[in-house]
Amino acid sequence: MRLTALQFLAIEGPHTLTQLADALGVTAPRLGNHLARLRAAGLVDVEHSGRHAVYRMSAPGLGDVLAALSRYAHADPGAGPQRAVTTADTARTCYDHLAGRLGVAVFGALVQRGALTGDGRSLGPDPAFFGELGVDVAAVDPGRRKLATACLDRTRRLPHLGGALGRCVLDAFVDRGLVAPAGGRELTVTAAGAERLPVLLPGFTPS
């Protein structure tokens, strides 16, 4: 839980306790205990803003360390027992944004179309493709979180889109009936999604 909280703060930026607990799917009291340990270890800082306590990484470079450890831990994809392919490999959520093959395909298409920079941290020179995905970029208010991040997909080992824009893409896909929650973090590509998504994302197939 503590490592997951650190990874989330590194990827998504500062969050209140309630926001962080909602994103990780745990209760605030349970998460509060873990955050207290992380604060004691000097890994996170907290800033009080009115009634809210906002948590952030204590050092910007710590996110790079976590990413490097993650890459090292999965340096040999062939090592270990083979895992059965599941629907979650096609589409699932990572915190509150798209992951799996669908999430990776969205990120790749955004970069290819010039809507997103290659590092995934900011808008590209032509963000119009977000509109095709159902997201009005001008209306997105990231608040305290990052507008966009490149989040390393745990199964594909390639980036998918995180940040406020990542959440908006997921919300748009659900609102348009392209994907639907299937329990836990799994998503089902609907019949409408099976027809529309390969058109939006050339090379993506639902199965």
Side-chain angles (χ1 to χ4, degrees):
M1 175 61 64
R2 294 170 203 171
L3 177 58
T4 302
L6 280 175
Q7 290 173 325
F8 185 87
L9 290 174
I11 293 167
E12 300 290 353
H15 273 62
T16 67
L17 173 61
T18 300
Q19 291 171 333
L20 191 55
D22 288 344
L24 300 183
V26 297
T27 64
R30 179 186 175 193
L31 180 60
N33 292 332
H34 290 292
L35 290 174
R37 297 292 184 89
L38 291 173
R39 286 183 62 195
L43 296 174
V44 300
D45 293 327
V46 62
E47 174 186 344
H48 292 278
S49 177
R51 297 171 57 190
H52 301 289
V54 181
Y55 291 85
R56 57 172 47 85
M57 300 287 287
S58 61
L62 188 55
D64 295 332
V65 173
L66 293 172
L69 289 173
S70 178
R71 288 193 294 270
Y72 177 78
H74 295 85
D76 183 6
Q82 294 296 312
R83 182 176 56 84
V85 176
T86 67
T87 55
D89 295 315
T90 298
R92 67 176 185 282
T93 60
C94 173
Y95 306 118
D96 63 354
H97 51 262
L98 278 172
R101 289 194 301 108
L102 179 56
V104 170
V106 167
F107 184 93
L110 286 166
V111 172
Q112 185 177 22
R113 296 282 294 271
L116 193 68
T117 56
D119 61 8
R121 296 179 180 179
S122 56
L123 294 175
D126 183 13
F129 185 57
F130 274 103
E132 296 184 37
L133 299 180
V135 177
D136 180 1
V137 173
V140 177
D141 179 10
R144 292 181 177 272
R145 73 185 306 182
K146 296 176 183 178
L147 179 66
T149 62
C151 183
L152 187 64
D153 195 89
R154 64 178 174 82
T155 56
R156 307 303 296 176
R157 312 315 304 167
L158 292 168
H160 58 242
L161 179 62
L165 285 173
R167 179 171 186 171
C168 288
V169 170
L170 173 58
D171 289 345
F173 279 17
V174 172
D175 290 344
R176 289 183 166 192
L178 304 180
V179 297
R185 295 196 175 275
E186 292 191 16
L187 297 169
T188 296
V189 176
T190 65
E195 179 179 350
R196 180 61 180 157
L197 288 173
V199 177
L200 285 172
L201 311 168
F204 173 76
T205 54
S207 59

